[in-house]
Amino acid sequence: MASPSLAGDMDVSFTRQGPKRNLHCWSKLPQDLLQSIFERLCFADFEHAKCVCSSWQSASRQSKPNNEIPWMILFPKHKNYCYLLNPEEKDKVYKTQDLGSDFVKSFCVASYRSWLLMKPRYEYIDNPQYNLYILDLLTRERINLPTFESETGLASPILWIDEKTNYYLVIGMVDEKNAIAFKREDNSWKQIPLTLDIAKCFDMVYNDHKLYCLNYYKLKIFDFFGENPVQVFKISVRGCILISSSFGMRFPGIPWEVQRGYYTDRIVVTVGGDVLIVKGRRPRLCRIWNFEIYKMGSSKGDKWKEIFSLGDEAILLDLGITVRTKEIKGIKRNSIYFNGNDLDGIYDKNNIFIFSLDTKKVEQTHYFVCLSILCNDARWFLPGFKR
């Protein structure tokens, strides 16, 4: 059998010194091909690749990273900037630009990609008038929202943005019975009709033009695609959610943040559109968290079923979504990404964690970085890089 020809794999010319290879130069790749490559790279690989040569750097300016890995935001106390941590780069910390003089007087209550929904701190509110704004922490683009009146602010807040059209939607509860919404074309906040009955909702998720609302009795789904929202589904959560108490008799000599128990009940919508309820518990006098996950049936009559694996997905609890992990470096499969604020915590509120459903153990990422920075808050987010 004849041996394979080298000439079939590369261009070969012959000189007096023998064969000479004319290998293609990577810097000569067409720009559209380079852009296609860059669009498939995660942030760390993107930053490395653009340093290869001037041609690759030029292609990078017309592209953006394809990032599906959750990053961490640290909000240092009394500062007008944030720190960003990429799990792929263990020892690297990014610092944002100055985010405005009033950033230090506000705190983040919701996020979507790199956009933050900022609410004034209570010490800077002199009356029941609330001034919220939306801020892109990477580009510093800002959208001021109209004021609204409330004794408690905006509870269970939702932020959603279509980054192609810059259409945005903000939803939240102003008290136990009333919810309001604001979208880009509106001039003022609009009350969501009481007939929809979103009373006592303590968690909401917005996904694919649908609003998922959870209270201690039912989960309701509303369609927001048309001019007026309509209820399209509801299901009882009895037996799945119990009203818990984190208080009890105090023991002398033990810090209260250790004595009290912490709990959370959150809605999560998966990549495939399934609805989950995630129950997180840290009992009194215990530092160990545990989670239970219940999946909603496909029809009204189906009951909630406890599941024990997410497969090749991970939950971002603060965002109420799952993300794919298969073939994505830097994100852990079958895990729950959460922070202290997700879990109604005081002791853990500045820390960020990953809970493995395989090992039933909690990992505190970037522990020494978090320890060295005095923070008001920390949270997971999915960066949205722009050209």
Side-chain angles (χ1 to χ4, degrees), residues 117-128:
L117 177 61
M118 304 299 297
K119 172 183 174 181
R121 296 190 176 279
Y122 296 109
E123 58 265 35
Y124 298 105
I125 300 174
D126 297 325
N127 52 54

Side-chain angles (χ1 to χ4, degrees), residues 18 28-29 36 95 98 102 159 168 180 189 245 253 329 358 367:
K28 302 299 183 182
L29 290 175
S36 179
K95 177 183 171 184
D98 189 318
D102 57 349
L159 171 64
Y168 57 86
I180 59 175
W189 293 85
S245 173
K329 181 178 66 176
D358 292 323
Y367 175 75

Side-chain angles (χ1 to χ4, degrees), residues 138-369:
L138 299 181
T139 67
R140 295 191 295 175
E141 184 179 351
R142 174 169 170 156
I143 302 170
N144 292 317
L145 303 180
T147 60
F148 65 91
E149 288 191 11
S150 171
E151 295 295 332
T152 58
L154 197 68
S156 304
I158 291 293
L159 171 64
W160 180 81
I161 294 181
D162 184 332
E163 294 189 301
K164 292 183 179 179
T165 63
N166 278 342
Y167 178 89
Y168 57 86
L169 174 68
V170 182
I171 305 173
M173 304 288 297
V174 290
D175 54 42
E176 283 194 346
K177 295 183 178 180
N178 296 286
I180 59 175
F182 183 83
K183 48 191 177 182
R184 188 178 67 176
E185 65 265 23
D186 292 340
N187 295 319
S188 61
W189 293 85
K190 293 184 178 179
Q191 181 171 334
I192 295 177
L194 290 173
T195 53
L196 293 184
D197 190 17
I198 310 182
K200 298 182 179 178
C201 168
F202 59 80
D203 190 35
M204 296 193 291
V205 169
Y206 189 83
N207 184 275
D208 193 24
H209 301 289
K210 290 184 174 61
L211 180 68
Y212 299 77
C213 298
L214 179 66
N215 62 30
Y216 287 109
Y217 308 101
K218 293 184 183 296
L219 182 143
K220 299 180 180 181
I221 304 175
F222 303 92
D223 191 332
F224 268 66
F225 189 77
E227 181 66 26
N228 298 308
V230 294
Q231 180 177 296
V232 294
F233 186 85
K234 68 177 178 180
I235 185 172
S236 171
V237 295
R238 186 170 297 178
C240 180
I241 291 184
L242 300 175
I243 300 177
S244 303
S245 173
S246 61
F247 300 98
M249 184 178 67
R250 297 192 65 166
F251 298 94
I254 302 176
W256 177 234
E257 62 266 17
V258 177
Q259 291 192 44
R260 64 168 293 190
Y262 300 103
Y263 66 92
T264 188
D265 297 290
R266 304 293 296 268
I267 314 168
V268 172
V269 181
T270 70
V271 173
D274 292 323
V275 181
L276 309 177
I277 289 180
V278 180
K279 299 174 62 175
R281 298 292 185 270
R282 198 191 90 177
R284 296 189 67 216
L285 300 173
C286 180
R287 295 180 182 271
I288 299 175
W289 285 99
N290 191 37
F291 290 87
E292 296 175 2
I293 303 176
Y294 294 86
K295 180 179 176 181
M296 188 178 74
S298 56
S299 63
K300 272 190 177 182
D302 289 350
K303 296 181 179 180
W304 294 89
K305 179 181 179 182
E306 186 174 5
I307 62 173
F308 302 94
S309 175
L310 298 167
D312 290 320
E313 294 185 26
I315 288 175
L316 305 186
L317 195 59
D318 186 56
L319 302 179
I321 61 172
T322 67
V323 290
R324 294 187 177 92
T325 63
K326 191 175 183 180
E327 299 178 354
I328 299 179
K329 181 178 66 176
I331 184 170
K332 298 190 176 184
R333 68 178 297 278
N334 202 28
S335 297
I336 300 174
Y337 286 66
F338 68 98
N339 63 63
N341 283 352
D342 285 327
L343 303 170
D344 190 27
I346 297 176
Y347 180 74
D348 294 327
K349 74 176 183 178
N350 292 335
N351 296 322
I352 35 191
F353 308 90
I354 303 172
F355 178 84
S356 170
L357 291 165
D358 292 323
T359 65
K360 304 297 182 183
K361 292 183 179 180
V362 171
E363 172 191 344
Q364 185 174 352
T365 62
H366 287 77
Y367 175 75
F368 292 105
V369 174

Side-chain angles (χ1 to χ4, degrees), residues 78-93:
H78 313 304
K79 303 295 182 182
N80 290 331
Y81 55 80
C82 300
Y83 291 113
L84 308 180
L85 307 177
N86 179 6
E88 294 180 283
E89 304 171 288
K90 293 290 186 182
D91 301 322
K92 195 161 187 177
V93 179

